[in-house]
Amino acid sequence: MQRTRTLARFALPSLALAATPAFAGLTLTSPLELSGTGLGAVNTVLTIHANQNASFESGSVAVDPATNLKVLSGDALNGNSQTGLHTLGELGISSASDLRVVFNAVEPGNARDITLTDLVLTIYDTAGGVLFKSGSFTDTFLPNTLAGVGNSGYAFGLDAADVTAAASLFTGSFADYRVGLSAEVTGFSGGPETFFVGSAQVLTPVPEPGTTALLLAGLGVLGFVAKRRSRIE
């Protein structure tokens, strides 16, 4: 089971994110700490990995309109668990506003910052036709990526304009529509950098174990006080 929590160190203004216009395709919705999101544990849509010393990585997964099959470009890795054309049904997406793309940047040594310079999501029908493509992406500087494969730190969602544009797709047989993705990163791009797609409802932060313990203790105290009052009365 995935464990999620909001990190205080990700809070603004320390993020120093690039200015984002009101309508810019996929935009950062929340910094998160998610463990257990490695290959095979989640529906990874795209994994890119260039040479270890490279400072730039890019790649995409799409549908070839001629064959209706998966086609890769750039530094995209080809393993079934690394890059795949998943359907909206497999991803658990029920609406455009529910869709999230989660980025797991794997950086070498102590290099934890990276700039995501492109991130575009495409939705294809069952015949390979393009139904939707998210708008242009604004460079987003991520100064504090999480260490280790399977530890994801940033969730991106469609902006208001794209949510409106894609809303009409979520009717009929939309669960069979496939999702493609293209991405570019610059900086200390040691890789492999992975992207998976999931529901915003699943990615909602949950209380810390300590917070939960305090909550339970508080409820216990309230129960004791209520019981004592009933005896006195």
Side-chain angles (χ1 to χ4, degrees), residues 99-147:
L99 188 153
R100 293 292 184 272
V101 179
V102 183
F103 179 36
N104 173 207
V106 181
E107 299 308 297
N110 295 319
R112 299 286 179 241
D113 61 321
I114 197 169
T115 301
L116 190 57
T117 53
D118 191 36
L119 186 61
V120 175
L121 179 138
T122 306
I123 298 177
Y124 300 89
D125 63 23
T126 55
V130 175
L131 295 173
F132 169 81
K133 189 172 185 179
S134 62
S136 59
F137 184 78
T138 297
D139 291 2
T140 304
F141 175 63
L142 308 175
N144 201 358
T145 56
L146 300 176

Side-chain angles (χ1 to χ4, degrees), residues 4-219:
T4 65
R5 57 178 174 155
T6 303
L7 287 178
R9 68 175 182 268
F10 283 126
L12 294 173
S14 61
L15 270 176
L17 299 175
T20 304
F23 303 110
L26 288 163
T27 59
L28 182 69
T29 60
S30 58
L32 297 171
E33 181 178 359
L34 289 84
S35 61
T37 61
L39 297 175
V42 292
N43 291 313
T44 303
V45 174
L46 178 64
T47 302
I48 54 178
H49 190 191
N51 182 282
Q52 183 69 28
N53 297 319
S55 60
F56 173 82
E57 295 172 333
S58 69
S60 70
V61 55
V63 177
D64 184 342
T67 63
N68 199 21
L69 298 175
K70 177 176 74 174
V71 59
L72 308 180
S73 71
D75 301 311
L77 300 184
N78 193 34
N80 290 331
S81 65
Q82 297 169 324
T83 302
L85 287 169
H86 297 282
T87 65
L88 290 171
E90 291 172 335
L91 299 171
I93 307 301
S94 59
S95 68
S97 60
D98 186 45
L99 188 153
R100 293 292 184 272
V101 179
V102 183
F103 179 36
N104 173 207
V106 181
E107 299 308 297
N110 295 319
R112 299 286 179 241
D113 61 321
I114 197 169
T115 301
L116 190 57
T117 53
D118 191 36
L119 186 61
V120 175
L121 179 138
T122 306
I123 298 177
Y124 300 89
D125 63 23
T126 55
V130 175
L131 295 173
F132 169 81
K133 189 172 185 179
S134 62
S136 59
F137 184 78
T138 297
D139 291 2
T140 304
F141 175 63
L142 308 175
N144 201 358
T145 56
L146 300 176
V149 176
N151 296 319
S152 304
Y154 297 94
F156 294 80
L158 297 173
D159 66 26
D162 275 350
V163 167
T164 299
S168 62
L169 299 181
F170 290 84
T171 58
S173 60
F174 76 90
D176 295 325
Y177 297 158
R178 290 167 289 178
V179 173
L181 200 65
S182 64
E184 293 180 352
V185 298
T186 61
F188 294 100
S189 48
E193 326 291 0
T194 67
F195 300 82
F196 74 89
V197 176
S199 165
Q201 300 176 43
V202 175
L203 300 176
T204 301
V206 298
E208 290 283 349
T211 303
T212 303
L214 287 174
L215 177 61
L216 293 174
L219 291 174

